[in-house]
Amino acid sequence: MTQRNSAIAPAPNPAKAKRGDWWRDAVIYQVYPRSFADSNGDGMGDLEGVRSRLPYLRDLGVDAVWLSPFYASPQADAGYDVADYRAVDPMFGNLLDADALIRDAHGLGLRVIVDLVPNHSSDQHEWFKRALREGPGSPLRERYHFRPGKGEHGELPPNDWESIFGGPAWTRVPDGEWYLHLFAPEQPDFNWEHPAVGDEFRSVLRFWLDIGVDGFRIDVAHGLVKAEGLPDLGSHDQVKLLGNDVMPFFDQDGVHDIYRQWRLVLDEYAGERIFVAEAWTPTVERTANYVRPDELHQAFNFQYLATDWDAAELRVVIDRTLEAMRPVGAPATWVLSNHDVTRHATRFANPPGLGTQIRTAGDRELGLRRARAATLLMLALPGSAYIYQGEELGLPDVVDLSDEVRQDPAYFRGAGQDGFRDGCRVPIPWTRTGSSYGFGNGGSWLPQPDGWGELSIEAQTGTAGSTLELYRDALAARRTQPDLGAGDSVEWLRAPEGVLAFRRGEFVCIANTSGESVTTSAYGRLLLASGEVTEADGEAKLPADTTVWWTTTP
């Protein structure tokens, strides 16, 4: 296995560095600010904490940092309930901290992408507070979805929609009207048919672009436009999509007009700024609609994220993804974990078919072995890849959090039946010992488990075979190998059952998902492997759940 001990990641391949479309093969690292680094010892991560750790991300070898929301918010849903889109919440710092973070990141060669939450605001947003104060007929109510109720006295919700977090998607206010919230009651949905909403968000885009951000990740990008008339679900077929229903409030064609307008704004700015869609759609073909040339640049590949560690299933979703993106000229994206799903080290530790939120630890050794192999497979595929903070340490989900410490609103709204996102949001460990394992000088907003320090950055740095060093080596290889990164196809090679093998130019990747050792051809010089590989007489023996990279160049 190769080993890289240099303090600074290798420079990008010169040919890649000259390209303006950096996002086509970028590796983007998601920072969940409240769980990344705490600069003031209050137990909550903040922007200054992120800023202080930027050199770590530079050395890891990523191209950009995506920051989950840090806007002014009552924190009913961890910042995805925004009260002011132009202000930083005091728990994270202030606008000067955001500016300094962006400047430092650029100085280190990192780009910065920030979250944008356009589907809904906080119920503490000034628009919504005025709408409540001014009552029925207020112009401000037209910027949200206020409706009279059904029933003799309006005592029933306007339709039968349910919140993603459980319970009705409508809440009644004292004057008798109801308002729509696809998520928590503290998150009223905007009415995107009202022109003031579009005007406001184009202004918000310019505000952050002027500060210097390099792009936006669009939360619930598929949900802004609702079906005309807000019809009952009873009149629509319901299709299960990764645990969410595809309903009249998801993936409506009208969202694309919004993003075409946004793209005009973004293209006013130099520097290849980008949009990334969080769009849960029934198929990857529907996802491709969001990344047509005059709309967004990338969309998360949730179909890939939800695929089990199975060669046949993976090949299907890889082929469908590449085929769907090719006609629109957009790069494929690949992702294994984020702040809303169980970390893949835990998903792969459990039997297949359990979905993306899992409540048991499973076989952790098996899960880590598969997670490492899955990462090398992901990073070998054509396009862009996303890394969620802590996955480079092989962190599992913390599945044994008590009800008293949980903070995911979906957990309580669903009576404990769903909403296990806290497990992937526990603050990451930086040091073997010390207060909160180096996260900060105080405690942490979610408790860290015993033994967290042995998975820390300090413990894994320079340790041969550690997951952190595997990620560093893989990202270094992506920068230096000309056949890795951007592209729109792979050449599949013959392989044993349960094994994926493909070529990209002079690069070859083989991933063994079969659960047992296999013997394959050795394709030249071994670049990197997620497990121990033995070679003899032109053949290689791959242990179960192992991925290997070769190059046919000397």
Side-chain angles (χ1 to χ4, degrees):
M1 184 177 301
T2 58
Q3 181 67 33
R4 187 183 68 84
N5 293 315
S6 62
I8 299 177
N13 180 280
K16 294 182 181 180
K18 291 180 181 179
R19 289 204 333 260
D21 52 353
W22 61 272
W23 42 276
R24 290 190 173 275
D25 60 359
V27 176
I28 299 173
Y29 186 100
Q30 181 188 359
V31 167
Y32 194 67
R34 59 170 52 204
S35 298
F36 192 66
D38 171 18
S39 70
N40 59 11
D42 66 355
M44 187 70 66
D46 47 47
L47 294 183
E48 183 58 30
V50 176
R51 181 187 175 199
S52 71
R53 299 294 190 176
L54 288 174
Y56 165 75
L57 299 179
R58 184 270 317 272
D59 296 347
L60 181 62
V62 301
D63 300 292
V65 180
W66 153 33
L67 297 169
S68 291
F70 51 80
Y71 307 111
S73 166
Q75 303 295 320
D77 184 25
Y80 283 93
D81 51 317
V82 180
D84 187 342
Y85 291 86
R86 297 176 181 82
V88 173
D89 194 281
M91 75 164 56
F92 297 122
N94 55 46
L95 281 173
L96 291 177
D97 295 322
D99 180 75
L101 189 161
I102 293 166
R103 290 176 183 273
D104 282 8
H106 289 168
L108 293 169
L110 297 168
R111 299 176 189 261
V112 178
I113 297 168
V114 298
D115 241 305
L116 189 65
V117 188
N119 179 71
H120 49 263
S121 73
S122 165
D123 62 354
Q124 298 303 303
H125 191 285
E126 187 59 33
W127 283 6
F128 192 76
K129 290 194 295 182
R130 282 184 56 193
L132 291 183
R133 286 197 308 267
E134 295 174 5
S138 165
L140 270 297
R141 290 206 175 189
E142 297 176 5
R143 300 180 186 186
Y144 295 90
H145 293 279
F146 279 88
R147 296 288 188 277
K150 293 181 178 180
E152 183 178 358
H153 304 290
E155 71 277 8
L156 300 176
N159 66 24
D160 63 359
W161 293 4
E162 293 186 357
S163 164
I164 303 304
F165 286 171
W170 296 89
T171 290
R172 197 178 193 188
V173 299
D175 55 47
E177 286 198 327
W178 298 73
Y179 68 89
L180 176 68
H181 52 86
L182 295 186
F183 295 88
E186 297 87 353
Q187 296 168 289
D189 279 48
F190 285 115
N191 174 16
W192 272 89
E193 294 181 4
H194 196 290
V197 177
D199 291 344
E200 169 67 0
F201 274 92
R202 288 190 293 274
S203 173
V204 169
L205 291 175
R206 288 190 171 94
F207 178 86
W208 288 102
L209 289 166
D210 288 341
I211 288 178
V213 302
D214 300 286
F216 301 88
R217 176 264 189 185
I218 305 168
D219 185 60
V220 196
H222 56 301
L224 276 59
V225 174
K226 281 66 174 173
E228 185 176 358
L230 308 184
D232 281 341
L233 289 172
S235 62
H236 287 72
D237 292 333
Q238 295 186 32
V239 181
K240 286 291 184 180
L241 167 65
L242 308 178
N244 293 331
D245 287 337
V246 180
M247 299 178 182
F249 48 75
F250 280 164
D251 195 30
Q252 299 294 306
D253 289 339
V255 299
H256 301 291
D257 291 333
I258 297 169
Y259 299 137
R260 291 186 185 99
Q261 294 174 25
W262 286 15
R263 183 62 179 266
L264 294 175
V265 173
L266 200 72
D267 288 348
E268 295 172 7
Y269 289 80
E272 290 289 333
R273 322 283 181 109
I274 70 167
F275 287 122
V276 182
E278 184 211 27
W280 293 83
T281 65
T283 65
V284 69
E285 290 80 10
R286 289 289 297 181
T287 302
N289 290 338
Y290 290 77
V291 289
R292 289 174 286 202
D294 60 345
E295 294 188 44
L296 310 179
H297 297 77
Q298 294 185 352
F300 291 131
N301 191 342
F302 292 116
Q303 285 78 16
Y304 185 78
L305 182 151
T307 302
D308 292 324
W309 179 240
D310 176 271
E313 294 182 22
L314 286 164
R315 178 163 176 172
V316 168
V317 74
I318 291 168
D319 280 341
R320 286 191 66 179
T321 297
L322 294 173
E323 289 167 6
M325 296 299 146
R326 201 173 293 123
V328 296
T333 67
W334 315 100
V335 60
L336 292 167
S337 289
N338 65 34
H339 66 291
D340 279 335
V341 301
T342 300
R343 289 182 178 276
H344 62 283
T346 296
R347 289 204 316 278
F348 293 151
N350 282 274
L354 297 182
T356 58
Q357 288 199 7
I358 297 174
R359 311 177 193 181
T360 60
D363 183 337
R364 287 189 173 177
E365 182 179 346
L366 173 66
L368 178 59
R369 188 166 68 246
R370 289 177 170 175
R372 289 162 56 95
T375 294
L376 284 195
L377 172 61
M378 175 184 77
L379 293 175
L381 293 169
S384 179
Y386 284 78
I387 295 172
Y388 177 50
Q389 64 177 45
E391 73 171 72
E392 76 275 18
L393 306 177
L395 294 186
D397 253 48
V398 181
V399 298
D400 56 355
L401 295 169
S402 65
D403 290 356
E404 291 74 22
V405 302
R406 288 190 179 276
Q407 299 195 31
D408 185 350
Y411 182 82
F412 302 100
R413 294 267 296 172
Q417 298 176 9
D418 201 351
F420 284 80
R421 298 179 298 174
D422 289 322
C424 66
R425 300 175 177 184
V426 173
I428 65 172
W430 291 87
T431 59
R432 278 194 170 95
T433 59
S435 177
S436 65
Y437 301 107
F439 168 66
N441 294 324
S444 62
W445 68 282
L446 283 171
Q448 299 160 300
D450 293 338
W452 214 228
E454 292 310 306
L455 298 174
S456 67
I457 291 151
E458 179 185 35
Q460 296 195 43
T461 295
T463 300
S466 73
T467 301
L468 176 57
E469 292 299 340
L470 178 70
Y471 270 73
R472 286 173 169 163
D473 289 342
L475 294 176
R478 271 183 67 101
R479 287 177 175 268
T480 55
Q481 291 297 314
D483 294 313
L484 283 175
D488 63 5
S489 63
V490 298
E491 175 192 351
W492 293 108
L493 304 174
R494 187 185 300 274
E497 184 176 357
V499 176
L500 285 174
F502 62 84
R503 181 191 302 275
R504 299 184 61 197
E506 297 179 338
F507 170 84
V508 173
C509 175
I510 298 184
N512 176 16
T513 76
S514 68
E516 57 187 28
S517 295
V518 298
T519 299
T520 73
S521 297
Y523 290 89
R525 179 167 57 90
L526 180 67
L527 281 176
L528 194 59
S530 66
E532 295 299 325
V533 175
T534 56
E535 298 180 83
D537 301 323
E539 293 186 330
K541 185 175 182 180
L542 279 63
D545 305 310
T546 299
T547 297
V548 185
W549 289 2
W550 275 286
T551 178
T552 57
T553 59

